[in-house]
Amino acid sequence: MKTFACGDIIPGCGATFTAPDVQGILVQTRRHAVEGHGMAEPGTVSDEPVLAHVRDAA
Ligand SMILES: [Zn+2]
């Protein structure tokens, strides 16, 4: 399992994401980037910083 905490790249955001693999994380974080942080569709601009902070879930 993989996990990502949005607060790692956007201070103050409490959103966290868990998925079986990195692709599953990106599906969620792209949506969150657009809907939660006003990034341009389709939110893929967030992929690089997200990938840098994805962790293995315990
Ligand atoms: Zn966020």
Side-chain angles (χ1 to χ4, degrees):
M1 294 291 283
K2 299 290 185 180
T3 186
F4 168 73
C6 190
D8 284 351
I9 58 173
I10 301 183
C13 185
T16 58
F17 306 90
T18 304
D21 53 31
V22 169
Q23 192 60 36
I25 294 286
L26 290 177
V27 168
Q28 299 175 67
T29 56
R30 286 170 185 164
R31 200 89 313 270
H32 176 69
V34 172
E35 297 178 357
H37 296 296
M39 293 183 183
E41 292 275 8
T44 47
V45 69
S46 67
D47 286 3
E48 189 174 331
V50 167
L51 289 173
H53 291 86
V54 169
R55 303 173 189 171
D56 289 316

